[in-house]
Amino acid sequence: MDELILAIESSCDETSVAVVRNGEEILSNIVASQIKSHQRFGGVVPEVASRHHVEQITLCMEEALTTAKVSPNDLTAVAVTYGPGLVGSLLIGLSAAKAFAFAHNLPLLPINHMAGHIYAARFVKPLVFPLMALLVSGGHTELVYMQADGQFEIIGETRDDAAGEAYDKVGRVLGLTYPSGKEIDQLAHLGEDVFHFPRAMINEENYDFSFSGLKSAFINLVHNAKQKGESLSKADLAASFQASVVEVLVTKTIRACQNYPVKQLILAGGVAANQGLRSALINAVENQLSDVELLIPPLRLCGDNAAMIASYAHVALKKKEFGQMSVNALPSLAFERMTE
Ligand code: KG4
Ligand code: ZN
């Protein structure tokens, strides 16, 4: 009999519900974005986010089931993101999942949002272990080593800002709307790396990252130019910023893949939508790694969505990682850091 998982994602500013068959076929993946409501504040406002999730969650659940042509009785389990994320937002999805699981007598699978981002790549191809994942999103930047299905070890991470966060902060200085990653990416292709911003930690013998120095260098340059009455090319600023981010991410990721016995490399998270990063990583893997297969999820599965949560839920179900009705939201849920 087919395994059918209904998954719910509400950790930040997207309400999403998906139905996935046998861990590999997306029957529906409804994503209700609230980004327009947050744009005038220049970032996600937690209270506003929670209110939107409340309004959207049942509609999304109904739509996901209707689109998938699946009735609650056909389902095998209900999966839901329980962290990391905004506590109020997480609680809406978690409460909806618990109520639904209870009403239909289905097992509950609480899922780590970051595991979901990695397993978005499962829709491209089956995962082969050991593998490395570069996870780049609005809240996280980390290199995750996986020895087997469901085993996550952080070998390096950002010591300050996440890559997506740096994109959004720099975008604000350029007067772009939030979130500005995509627009900076587009601008970057029209300009050149004329400012040569620092490449923090690129030569250090670890897999950690730092983006706050780059952000400060960028802001200082723009402010100083403004004070002198000079205007700088937005395209060149974007290109210079992106060149620094991409070079550091790619260099350290390739080094990690050379030092660990990996068969696959996964690029995941919202920033994985970045065209500059995608093409630089494709080139670097081709030229510098032999026998490592690069998996990059399609654009629609890079940002937050529930299909990726269902994808990891397929593994969680096999591993019997069930949750009780008492399971709580964990806003700071994180993978273990590998001890050297
Ligand atoms: O994974 P995600 O959708 O949400 C989190 O879990 O954080 O990632 C959102 C982040 C935002 O910071 C956004 O600016 C960034 O992903 N982003 C991009 C691009 N598209 C989205 N950053 C760089 N280039 C892009 N094309
Ligand atoms: Zn995310």
Side-chain angles (χ1 to χ4, degrees):
M1 208 174 78
D2 278 342
E3 171 202 287
L4 288 166
I5 292 182
L6 175 104
I8 299 178
E9 154 66 37
S10 69
S11 64
C12 191
D13 56 352
E14 255 103 30
T15 319
S16 181
V17 183
V19 178
V20 171
R21 177 156 44 206
N22 299 329
E24 57 182 10
E25 192 190 346
I26 302 174
L27 301 185
S28 62
N29 189 22
I30 310 300
V31 183
S33 173
Q34 356 169 313
I35 208 63
K36 286 212 159 55
S37 303
H38 300 289
Q39 267 167 351
R40 62 199 160 112
F41 304 109
V44 176
V45 184
E47 298 298 322
V48 175
S50 304
R51 229 172 300 144
H52 276 285
H53 286 306
V54 170
E55 284 168 13
Q56 292 295 327
I57 193 78
T58 39
L59 295 171
C60 289
M61 287 167 78
E62 278 166 20
E63 198 178 334
L65 288 167
T66 311
T67 307
K69 299 189 177 64
V70 162
S71 92
N73 299 332
D74 304 329
L75 293 170
T76 314
V78 179
V80 61
T81 303
Y82 75 117
L86 301 168
V87 68
S89 294
L90 289 166
L91 282 170
I92 311 295
L94 197 57
S95 308
K98 282 182 193 176
F100 191 86
F102 182 73
H104 300 286
N105 201 17
L106 291 165
L108 184 70
L109 296 162
I111 307 294
N112 180 325
H113 178 80
M114 305 314 290
H117 271 305
I118 295 177
Y119 276 77
R122 171 61 188 85
F123 295 116
V124 181
K125 260 189 180 181
L127 306 190
V128 183
F129 301 92
L131 66 76
M132 191 70 70
L134 172 63
L135 259 173
V136 274
S137 72
H140 293 78
T141 299
E142 52 199 38
L143 274 164
V144 180
Y145 179 64
M146 294 186 64
Q147 210 130 38
D149 242 348
Q151 288 182 22
F152 308 91
E153 286 177 287
I154 295 181
I155 64 158
E157 63 200 314
T158 182
R159 297 200 178 164
D160 37 62
D161 292 350
E165 193 180 353
Y167 266 93
D168 297 335
K169 285 181 178 166
V170 157
R172 191 189 271 228
V173 177
L174 292 181
L176 309 179
T177 47
Y178 172 87
S180 31
K182 189 174 172 190
E183 205 175 336
I184 293 179
D185 191 14
Q186 288 163 344
L187 273 172
H189 291 272
L190 307 173
E192 277 182 47
D193 179 12
V194 295
F195 298 114
H196 303 295
F197 289 121
R199 268 74 168 150
M201 304 183 74
I202 198 162
N203 293 319
E204 287 187 24
E205 284 301 312
N206 57 45
Y207 304 109
D208 286 343
F209 305 97
S210 165
F211 296 106
S212 72
L214 167 62
K215 179 189 65 189
S216 304
F218 185 101
I219 294 172
N220 288 341
L221 180 75
V222 172
H223 283 177
N224 288 343
K226 215 181 242 169
Q227 274 173 348
K228 287 192 225 148
E230 296 168 8
S231 79
L232 302 174
S233 148
K234 273 191 189 183
D236 287 344
L237 281 166
S240 303
F241 171 80
Q242 180 146 308
S244 169
V245 174
V246 169
E247 190 178 329
V248 176
L249 288 175
V250 170
T251 305
K252 296 199 102 162
T253 302
I254 295 293
R255 204 180 295 150
C257 290
Q258 287 164 338
N259 293 337
Y260 285 83
V262 299
K263 297 197 173 110
Q264 285 181 335
L265 168 63
I266 291 174
L267 176 62
V271 184
N274 188 276
Q275 297 300 329
L277 178 58
R278 290 166 90 97
S279 59
L281 201 58
I282 290 168
N283 278 336
V285 168
E286 214 169 277
N287 297 326
Q288 296 174 58
L289 300 177
S290 49
D291 303 326
V292 176
E293 184 181 32
L294 177 62
L295 302 188
I296 309 182
L299 290 183
R300 73 197 156 81
L301 296 178
C302 285
D304 293 345
N305 68 89
M308 69 184 199
I309 301 303
S311 178
Y312 183 67
H314 171 71
V315 176
L317 182 63
K318 274 192 287 185
K319 289 167 121 5
K320 299 193 168 32
E321 294 173 353
F322 299 115
Q324 302 296 318
M325 281 295 155
S326 56
V327 64
N328 205 351
L330 293 179
S332 320
L333 180 65
F335 298 138
E336 298 263 325
R337 171 110 193 187
M338 190 184 272
T339 45
E340 271 104 72

